[in-house]
Amino acid sequence: MAALLWLLILSAFHAVALAQQRQFNITLGSSLTPTTNSSWFSPSRRFAFGFYEQNNGYAVGISIVASMLDTGNFVIYNSDHSIIWQSFDNPTNTLLPGQHISAGQELFSSASESDDSLGIFRLKMQDDGNLVQYPVNTADSAPNAYYATGTGGVGNNVSLHLDDDGLLYLLNSTKSLKNLTQGGNPRERTIIYMMKIDADGIFRVYSHSLNQQNSSAIWSSTIDGCDPKGICGLNGFCTNIDDQAKCLCLPGFDFVMLGNWSAGCERNFTAETCRLKESTSKYYAMRTVENTVWEDSTYVVLGGTTKEDCEQACLQDCNCEAALFKDRECRKQKLPLTYGRRNLDNSNLVLVKVGTNFIPNEGVPYQTIEETKGKKLRIDILIAGITLAVFALLVLGISGFLIHRNHVWTCRKIQESRSVLDDI
Ligand SMILES: *[C@@H]1O[C@H](CO)[C@@H](O)[C@H](O)[C@H]1NC(C)=O
Ligand SMILES: *[C@@H]1O[C@H](CO)[C@@H](O)[C@H](O)[C@H]1NC(C)=O
Ligand SMILES: *[C@@H]1O[C@H](CO)[C@@H](O)[C@H](O)[C@H]1NC(C)=O
Ligand SMILES: *[C@@H]1O[C@H](CO)[C@@H](O)[C@H](O)[C@H]1NC(C)=O
Ligand SMILES: *[C@@H]1O[C@H](CO)[C@@H](O)[C@H](O)[C@H]1NC(C)=O
Ligand SMILES: *[C@@H]1O[C@H](CO)[C@@H](O)[C@H](O)[C@H]1NC(C)=O
Ligand SMILES: *[C@@H]1O[C@H](CO)[C@@H](O)[C@H](O)[C@H]1NC(C)=O
Ligand SMILES: *[C@@H]1O[C@H](CO)[C@@H](O)[C@H](O)[C@H]1NC(C)=O
């Protein structure tokens, strides 16, 4: 709800005068609908609270006394005229002049410039005083961080502020602690400064012209589009081509979702399995990617090796899916590899185990081995059967011969006795 309200407020910057604390009070029982009366404007009509089109329309009803301040803050009062809710306490991706992020709060990027749903990056004003950027759904720990003001440990009540001259700064209770931007920009009636964490994970201070209805960035947290961790998803790595961040997949890997880098990359072959007794390493090969750095997921380190030794060590190990090789050190890795990016100053090699052409897509199918065993068994039975049959025929033949011989012998005996009798 809070996020939604804030998004609604940002929806329109409708011109004119710079404001003091003028406010437009909306009385109890007023309502907005997406079709008629879709917005409430601030006195200068600079800000509007209301509906704007995005995928589906929203309906918002206000049931308490509410007001729209000329700073862009949407405030809800109770009957005692004290503030019970204000949009400035619930920022999503943008900070307006006069607004601040207090300790423990964070801003989130949008999914894209045209889609305000939750994106994949966040900017957190930590309780320790450090202002840090992380991917969403990750722990607040150093390996996930990709931007930090380095002000950890200075106090537990540090907040991030934006002034109406574009000055972005950290405040320790009431003491100015660190200026992120210079500020001092002309305070013109037709210009408003705002800070926004963009869908690409970089946060920028914009100068927005109310007359022209256009914006331009006057400061950014980094100029390297590959800095935001997680921009390429798992098993992908970021590289700058013509100053534009671009994601590539490791060799043998394809994008999970075309056009969606953060979904990462997956193998285009079936992984090696350790279930088989015989080595299947002959169905795999190692591919090399130069000058990339990755989050370490080492499970074994081999020292004093060559690149070839490292490749062989990974090939011979059914658990090994990749290896990092640098300074004669071979670090065996399990997938997925994360936070990959090209760094031409780093001689690190990533050696990736890939399926070769000898086998179809499915890799070394377990079933095939079983089938082979089955065939062998049937051949064995056949051989045994034939042997038995031949043996049986032989026995039959021999016994036939013996019976015949015995018969002939008996006949002769009878004839002999007859002739003896005849002789008598
Ligand atoms: C629009 O809002 C104004 C002020 O709240 C109210 O007087 C008017 O009746 C509303 N019009 C419609 C169509 O709801
Ligand atoms: C709006 O309400 C606030 C608080 O109740 C009050 O101080 C202010 O004078 C009101 N403004 C107008 C223009 O009615
Ligand atoms: C920040 O404020 C705290 C208490 O308010 C104080 O102890 C600390 O020294 C301050 N730090 C700096 C760098 O001024
Ligand atoms: C924390 O800082 C805010 C200003 O950013 C100040 O108003 C408040 O009094 C401070 N709280 C404490 C406990 O120092
Ligand atoms: C930041 O800039 C403001 C205005 O120029 C200045 O008053 C303040 O001392 C600066 N703060 C620091 C920590 O340099
Ligand atoms: C807006 O556009 C005009 C004309 O193209 C340009 O002169 C001006 O600098 C732009 N302002 C901003 C804030 O981008
Ligand atoms: C898998 O990827 C490798 C390298 O990217 C490629 O050479 C191979 O043709 C691909 N195989 C399939 C089945 O797509
Ligand atoms: C892109 O992939 C991410 C991660 O799988 C997912 O959260 C997001 O919804 C996807 N975006 C689109 C536009 O499909």
Side-chain angles (χ1 to χ4, degrees), residues 23-25 65 67 77 81:
Q23 66 187 63
F24 162 57
N25 292 340
V65 183
S67 98
Y77 298 93
H81 302 296

Side-chain angles (χ1 to χ4, degrees), residues 59-312:
V60 182
I62 303 294
S63 57
I64 314 163
V65 183
S67 98
M68 184 75 211
L69 287 173
D70 219 4
T71 53
N73 195 7
F74 183 81
V75 185
I76 298 174
Y77 298 93
N78 66 7
S79 52
D80 300 332
H81 302 296
S82 47
I83 293 172
I84 57 169
W85 187 88
Q86 56 181 325
S87 59
F88 267 26
D89 286 343
N90 298 272
T92 58
N93 62 6
T94 305
L95 203 63
L96 289 171
Q99 194 180 9
H100 68 272
I101 316 180
S102 34
Q105 274 192 324
E106 48 192 341
L107 293 183
F108 294 93
S109 68
S110 299
S112 74
E113 296 314 322
S114 56
D115 179 359
D116 276 334
S117 59
L118 183 67
I120 57 170
F121 302 104
R122 60 197 178 100
L123 171 68
K124 184 162 187 181
M125 186 66 253
Q126 293 187 166
D127 290 324
D128 66 357
N130 210 357
L131 179 72
V132 191
Q133 281 196 279
Y134 303 103
V136 293
N137 301 325
T138 59
D140 295 0
S141 60
N144 297 320
Y146 66 88
Y147 170 91
T149 49
T151 46
V154 293
N156 60 4
N157 190 27
V158 177
S159 49
L160 178 70
H161 295 252
L162 180 67
D163 275 358
D164 58 6
D165 65 347
L167 177 68
L168 185 68
Y169 60 104
L170 291 177
L171 204 65
N172 180 22
S173 293
T174 51
K175 181 174 171 286
S176 170
L177 192 73
K178 181 173 182 144
N179 289 338
L180 303 185
T181 63
Q182 294 249 305
N185 295 294
R187 289 181 170 89
E188 285 173 33
R189 288 154 53 92
T190 56
I191 301 253
I192 185 169
Y193 299 96
M194 52 196 236
M195 189 216 93
K196 185 164 171 249
I197 169 167
D198 287 314
D200 62 5
I202 296 173
F203 69 99
R204 298 179 174 88
V205 174
Y206 287 95
S207 150
H208 180 91
S209 157
L210 295 168
N211 289 345
Q212 263 95 20
Q213 286 291 309
N214 58 353
S215 306
S216 57
I218 56 168
W219 178 86
S220 66
S221 56
T222 174
I223 52 158
D224 189 340
C226 282
D227 273 353
K229 284 185 173 171
I231 189 171
C232 292
L234 305 176
N235 303 313
F237 64 95
C238 186
T239 178
N240 278 300
I241 296 170
D242 299 332
D243 285 336
Q244 290 284 310
K246 193 176 182 237
C247 294
L248 301 175
C249 288
L250 286 171
F253 287 67
D254 292 329
F255 287 111
V256 172
M257 215 186 285
L258 273 180
N260 187 353
W261 285 338
S262 63
C265 307
E266 62 185 356
R267 280 186 269 235
N268 72 4
F269 57 93
T270 297
E272 185 171 13
T273 164
C274 289
R275 273 183 304 176
L276 303 177
K277 291 245 160 47
E278 51 215 291
S279 168
T280 54
S281 63
K282 60 173 180 275
Y283 298 114
Y284 295 89
M286 301 302 288
R287 295 272 179 277
T288 307
V289 183
E290 291 169 345
N291 308 114
T292 56
V293 289
W294 301 81
E295 179 65 18
D296 209 329
S297 58
T298 302
Y299 70 93
V300 167
V301 184
L302 307 173
T305 61
T306 62
K307 183 194 170 204
E308 288 68 33
D309 291 341
C310 186
E311 286 177 337
Q312 281 308 313

Side-chain angles (χ1 to χ4, degrees), residues 24-27 29-33 36-40:
F24 162 57
N25 292 340
I26 299 138
T27 52
S30 304
S31 66
L32 289 175
T33 61
T36 57
N37 269 7
S38 67
S39 311
W40 287 321

